[in-house]
Amino acid sequence: EEEFYRKLGMDFIPPELREDAGEIEAALAHKLPKLVELRDIKADLQIHSSFDIETSHDLGESSMEEVIKKADKLGYEYIAFSEHNPSKSKHNEQKILNLLKRKKEAIDKLNYSFVKTACKSIKKVFNSLEIDISPEGELAIPDEGLNLLDFALVSIHSSFRIDRNKMTKRVLSALAYPKVKIFAHPTARKLNEREGVELNWPEIFDFCKKNDKWLEINAEPTRLDLPDTLVREAVKSGVKLSMGTDAHHKDSLANMIFGVAVARRGWAEKKDIINCLSLSEFEKMIE
């Protein structure tokens, strides 16, 4: 195939780009992107463990130690545990804070001992949380709880049929919190089950670029969200992307390959993906 393209005076077009979406012209002009590869990924930024903080949604099935060992085998430099927020309907604010403190203490302990003694490639585990966005754009944990996190993801898990303008306002309100860095599975679609929400994407892209927020490519096979078409628009807009497997079992960390495939279909390069940063570079990004 590569020889065939050379004879046409073109650069080799990776199969993921063969959609008649400008790749032929780019290949003739020698301006095709150098697509991100699985080996470029240094981290998984959405993982759910079995550490029980009495979440609003499903709990992970594998322990933090099991997940860390699996991530270490995959050669990651860092990971983030992003359990769902504690159930707001079943806990008062103080109970939510107590649960979040307990999780922070557990991760601090892992970083101090387990990571240093049992891991070859993993250097740090981050304390994150996937937080529900209310229909009004509020977060499902008290502001004080955000201070216990290294960074937060926000996502939509309810009220999917709000109109475009109100939904966009809802999302931007949640992303405005300084500790929030990632908009997780941004369309909230479920393949063969649920259509995505309606959002004003140019407005979302503009806000993310100006305020250093990242859109997730969720590698879970029933999501693959952000979709590839929106990935390309995000890349064109200069928006950074994060990648997470949304794993609820240690073996699901292997699903990162599907997220990389979506990123490649969206013309994403290594420089577009936050997970390709080294640990020190990533820490500067979340300061």
Side-chain angles (χ1 to χ4, degrees):
E1 282 194 345
E2 292 182 13
E3 183 182 355
F4 173 81
Y5 280 100
R6 279 199 302 271
K7 286 187 179 295
L8 294 174
M10 303 168 68
D11 288 340
F12 174 75
I13 301 177
E16 297 95 329
L17 300 188
R18 299 172 193 173
E19 296 281 352
D20 191 21
E23 72 279 5
I24 294 173
E25 293 80 0
L28 287 166
H30 308 293
K31 292 183 178 180
L32 283 172
K34 188 179 188 308
L35 300 180
V36 64
E37 299 183 34
L38 183 60
R39 64 187 179 189
D40 296 325
I41 305 299
K42 300 185 187 307
D44 190 332
L45 295 178
Q46 190 183 165
I47 304 172
H48 300 261
S49 77
S50 63
F51 190 87
D52 192 0
I53 55 171
E54 302 172 29
T55 71
S56 57
H57 298 286
D58 46 342
L59 196 65
E61 298 177 41
S62 302
S63 70
M64 286 183 171
E65 290 85 353
E66 289 173 327
V67 172
I68 294 169
K69 285 181 180 178
K70 180 67 175 182
D72 195 53
K73 288 181 180 178
L74 291 172
Y76 289 150
E77 191 175 350
Y78 53 98
I79 59 171
F81 283 114
S82 58
E83 287 75 21
H84 293 286
N85 57 265
S87 172
K88 191 175 181 181
S89 62
K90 296 179 181 178
H91 306 95
N92 60 32
E93 285 195 1
Q94 189 56 53
K95 183 66 184 297
I96 290 174
L97 289 174
N98 289 341
L99 289 166
L100 295 179
K101 286 176 183 176
R102 188 160 64 86
K103 185 196 169 199
K104 182 182 185 304
E105 290 168 358
I107 290 180
D108 286 345
K109 185 176 180 181
L110 285 169
N111 276 316
Y112 182 76
S113 57
F114 186 77
V115 170
K116 290 182 179 180
T117 59
C119 298
K120 293 182 179 180
S121 63
I122 292 285
K123 297 177 182 176
K124 186 168 182 177
V125 174
F126 287 94
N127 178 30
S128 187
L129 200 69
E130 184 183 2
I131 306 173
D132 289 339
I133 308 173
S134 77
E136 295 75 30
E138 298 172 349
L139 300 186
I141 66 170
D143 289 354
E144 189 179 340
L146 290 170
N147 296 328
L148 297 169
L149 307 173
D150 292 314
F151 66 94
L153 299 79
V154 293
S155 56
I156 296 170
H157 287 105
S158 64
S159 304
F160 302 105
R161 299 274 69 88
I162 295 174
D163 73 66
R164 185 192 304 265
N165 290 333
K166 289 182 179 178
M167 187 68 84
T168 302
K169 185 178 179 181
R170 173 188 187 183
V171 169
L172 295 183
S173 177
L175 286 174
Y177 287 82
K179 209 73 173 197
V180 172
K181 297 300 296 182
I182 297 172
F183 183 19
H185 46 74
T187 75
R189 75 176 183 180
K190 282 283 193 75
L191 296 175
N192 299 317
E193 180 182 333
R194 181 177 69 220
E195 294 293 327
V197 298
E198 292 289 329
L199 287 166
N200 184 331
W201 287 106
E203 193 172 344
I204 297 288
F205 294 152
D206 184 62
F207 183 91
C208 288
K209 184 177 181 181
K210 288 180 178 177
N211 295 280
D212 194 24
K213 308 294 182 176
W214 317 324
L215 297 178
E216 182 188 65
I217 298 176
N218 190 294
E220 213 290 319
T222 65
R223 288 191 183 275
L224 303 181
D225 181 14
L226 209 59
D228 55 359
T229 52
L230 286 172
V231 169
R232 188 171 184 194
E233 292 303 312
V235 168
K236 286 179 181 178
S237 300
V239 176
K240 297 296 183 183
L241 304 162
S242 76
M243 300 186 68
T245 57
D246 208 346
H248 286 64
H249 187 281
K250 62 182 178 63
D251 292 342
S252 296
L253 268 66
N255 286 339
M256 186 63 77
I257 189 171
F258 302 123
V260 171
V262 173
R264 288 173 63 86
R265 286 173 59 85
W267 295 53
E269 300 185 56
K270 182 178 177 179
K271 64 181 176 62
D272 301 310
I273 310 291
I274 290 296
N275 305 57
C276 296
L277 296 175
S278 68
L279 173 59
S280 60
E281 291 170 328
F282 179 76
E283 286 180 317
K284 289 177 183 177
M285 292 290 281
I286 63 171
E287 284 178 357

